[in-house]
Amino acid sequence: MSDNKDMELIDENGKRLDGREFDELRDIKIEAGILKRADGSAYIEWGKNKVMAAVYGPREMHPRHAQEPSKAVVRARYNMAAFSVPDRKRPGPDRRSVEISKIISEALEEVVFVEMFPRAVIDIFIEVLEASAGTRCAGLTVASVALADAGIPMSNMIASCAAGKIDGHVVLDLGKNEDNFGEADVPVGIVPNTDKITLLQMDGNLTKEEYEEAMELAIDACDEIYEIQRDALKVRYSTTLEDHGEPDDEIEKIQEEA
Ligand code: ADP
């Protein structure tokens, strides 16, 4: 967010710079099961963002003093590659990546049945390969698919999306310039079906009415994203059947449904 109003974000036809409507998401593609050696994995392209997630576990937590006697620890690590942004990013953790790792871990702990795995850890590595605003939402969304791909018992996946304000208008899913030069950005993560909120942050300022409008936009979009997450798992499942030589007609049926 910036207080410098040095960029018009909505053109004279009332369209956003990339031609989107106010309530339109960027294109999203998700693929599940991309890494052979991880217990679960997934990859997402969300506009110009490219983010990968790998899940390992549940496995015994080391160091042992970090173990929780009655539940598993869900440990997400968000990392932005040095080459993910136009000006090379200094490699390694920084305040921002520690914050994002924490909020993603806490969001996912809401849906994983952690009581089933005392003293264990479930590691989720989120690697941002290309960043263009909204990477925490993309990271949380793709990590949920990777957890499901790993067969981790969960009540549901989490879908995540941001809404915000640009040039005085409440809009969905801010792009890079909108994030930089807009007035507010509100990343939201929900458990679809129940609409339980597991992630909510706000950068910038909104009135109560604008905030409510932004939340409605983001929650509706999360339902759309949830469909894409489920489709990725259905396709993954059909591929697994292919690997095991199941009958072709069964695979076709699943692919049609996906
Ligand atoms: P999010 O990616 O969740 O929107 P931010 O609002 O903190 O998180 O960042 C917005 C965007 O700013 C990022 O997606 C990325 O494109 C860019 N960005 C973040 N950190 C850096 C950095 N250290 N160097 C260059 N660009 C960055």
Side-chain angles (χ1 to χ4, degrees):
M1 292 307 111
S2 153
D3 293 333
N4 291 341
K5 193 71 205 74
D6 48 7
M7 187 166 185
E8 293 295 327
L9 299 169
I10 295 180
D11 68 18
E12 61 275 13
N13 304 317
K15 285 271 171 70
R16 296 159 74 177
L17 292 186
D18 57 7
R20 278 188 293 154
E21 304 290 342
F22 292 172
D23 60 354
E24 196 176 335
L25 280 169
R26 289 173 282 181
D27 285 341
I28 300 178
K29 282 188 229 141
I30 305 178
E31 193 180 341
I34 50 148
L35 301 172
K36 266 211 167 80
R37 283 184 202 93
D39 294 320
S41 58
Y43 170 70
I44 189 167
E45 287 185 6
W46 181 323
K48 292 183 187 142
N49 292 308
K50 294 184 177 163
V51 185
M52 196 179 73
V55 170
Y56 298 86
R59 57 188 180 183
E60 194 180 346
M61 165 68 108
H62 290 290
R64 292 182 71 161
H65 67 76
Q67 289 182 353
E68 292 272 358
S70 58
K71 60 175 187 150
V73 173
V74 177
R75 186 167 62 182
R77 194 207 63 179
Y78 166 103
N79 181 52
M80 252 174 58
F83 51 79
S84 65
V85 286
D87 297 324
R88 178 179 177 277
K89 181 200 165 283
R90 191 163 181 265
D94 50 25
R95 278 180 62 147
R96 178 177 169 275
S97 69
V98 170
E99 172 215 321
I100 297 179
S101 300
K102 182 174 188 293
I103 53 142
I104 292 182
S105 301
E106 287 172 357
L108 291 171
E109 198 178 324
E110 288 292 318
V111 288
V112 173
F113 291 137
V114 284
E115 297 79 15
M116 289 175 69
F117 308 103
R119 301 183 189 284
V121 61
I122 298 166
D123 275 309
I124 306 145
F125 296 94
I126 298 165
E127 296 291 329
V128 179
L129 307 174
E130 284 183 23
S132 186
T135 57
R136 75 194 62 209
C137 296
L140 179 53
T141 299
V142 74
S144 297
V145 177
L147 279 171
D149 180 49
I152 306 282
M154 314 152 71
S155 58
N156 204 342
M157 289 188 284
I158 293 176
S160 176
C161 182
K165 185 176 163 191
I166 57 167
D167 285 0
H169 296 272
V170 174
V171 300
L172 182 68
D173 186 20
L174 275 64
K176 185 75 179 76
N177 284 327
E178 295 175 336
D179 187 288
N180 280 3
F181 302 106
E183 292 129 77
D185 187 24
V186 185
V188 178
I190 64 157
V191 183
N193 305 331
T194 63
D195 284 358
K196 179 177 175 179
I197 294 168
T198 60
L199 166 70
L200 180 57
Q201 298 186 289
M202 181 149 97
D203 187 10
N205 292 314
L206 293 176
T207 64
K208 183 168 175 286
E209 289 71 28
E210 287 167 345
Y211 167 76
E212 281 168 359
E213 200 185 330
M215 285 301 283
E216 203 178 312
L217 276 184
I219 289 173
D220 284 352
C222 284
D223 289 337
E224 240 179 274
I225 293 163
Y226 183 51
E227 285 300 314
I228 303 171
Q229 290 174 300
R230 284 167 38 136
D231 285 351
L233 288 169
K234 285 186 199 166
V235 169
R236 159 76 166 142
Y237 179 57
S238 65
T239 319
T240 309
L241 279 182
E242 251 166 19
D243 289 347
H244 288 86
E246 292 288 330
D248 286 349
D249 50 356
E250 187 63 19
I251 294 164
E252 264 171 35
K253 210 175 109 204
I254 293 168
Q255 274 168 344
E256 265 167 33
E257 283 168 14

